[in-house]
Amino acid sequence: MTTGYNNMGGATGMAAYHEASAQRCPLNGTCDCCTCRCCGLCMLIIWVIFGGWGAISALNLSSDLTNYPSCPANTGDITGACCEFDINGSSFVIAGSCDSFKTYTDINAASGILECLAGVVGCVGMFMYIAWLLIIPAGWAILSVILSIVGLAMVGFGGFAILSIPSMGIALLIAILFYSNYKIMKETDPKSG
């Protein structure tokens, strides 16, 4: 018989942790195996993989740029300065200087590296049940929103950059997820049992 976490009277240990993690997961009602711990671990593994991949992609993207003080006529409706870059043999042109675009891609590369590191630290925290290590991915999620806003301000809020706005909302939800995991670990102390 499983006792509800709310009725455990401050019980601690591994069983209390796993039960609290399941009860706080909004997906647990439809999928019994889903817990806040499960969602957190999946997110951290995705951060490690895609953070590293994103950093490598951003660094490769910023390596071959052509700056035009006045955009050529064959670039559509872009007027003023523009920046051309190549991806797999195809040329792309964006409005603005290459310096701003390079800074934007460098920020994205640094963001990817930090995301990968936050994912590794968070995985260690989840696997070793070290609550304070979960503050790092939560803090990173908030910092990534700030970096995204800075990057958007540098290249403008239009065009391809507008695609990063939904990711900011997701990052804030991730921060809440990791803070929730932190609180569950602090309240139940899974290592004590």
Side-chain angles (χ1 to χ4, degrees):
M1 178 174 148
T2 305
T3 309
Y5 173 71
N6 295 333
N7 300 327
M8 287 197 273
T12 60
M14 195 64 71
Y17 167 72
H18 286 289
E19 190 170 335
S21 181
Q23 285 182 354
R24 291 194 187 167
C25 180
L27 300 175
N28 188 264
T30 57
C31 180
D32 290 342
C33 65
C34 194
T35 65
C36 281
R37 177 179 172 78
C38 173
C39 291
L41 278 172
C42 288
M43 187 56 55
L44 291 168
I45 291 167
I46 288 170
W47 276 10
V48 170
I49 294 168
F50 287 107
W53 178 70
I56 292 168
S57 298
L59 288 172
N60 285 335
L61 185 63
S62 67
S63 63
D64 187 24
L65 303 173
T66 306
N67 195 37
Y68 295 106
S70 180
C71 223
N74 65 348
T75 58
D77 60 352
I78 298 175
T79 57
C82 66
C83 181
E84 179 183 18
F85 57 95
D86 295 323
I87 299 175
N88 297 329
S90 298
S91 291
F92 297 90
V93 178
I94 60 166
S97 73
C98 285
D99 289 338
S100 294
F101 184 70
K102 176 139 179 55
T103 303
Y104 175 74
T105 56
D106 289 347
I107 287 173
N108 281 340
S111 175
I113 292 167
L114 291 173
E115 181 177 312
C116 186
L117 292 174
V120 169
V121 169
C123 283
V124 169
M126 291 293 261
F127 288 127
M128 302 298 293
Y129 298 97
I130 302 170
W132 67 268
L133 286 179
L134 297 181
I135 295 298
I136 292 170
W140 168 246
I142 293 168
L143 183 61
S144 72
V145 171
I146 295 167
L147 283 175
S148 295
I149 292 170
V150 168
L152 282 173
M154 290 181 69
V155 296
F157 288 92
F160 72 93
I162 203 80
L163 298 175
S164 66
I165 290 177
S167 68
M168 289 185 230
I170 293 168
L172 290 175
L173 291 174
I174 291 169
I176 293 168
L177 170 71
F178 287 115
Y179 181 72
S180 176
N181 273 305
Y182 166 80
K183 279 182 55 177
I184 292 168
M185 275 193 203
K186 290 304 278 184
E187 290 170 359
T188 60
D189 192 17
K191 288 184 171 182
S192 70

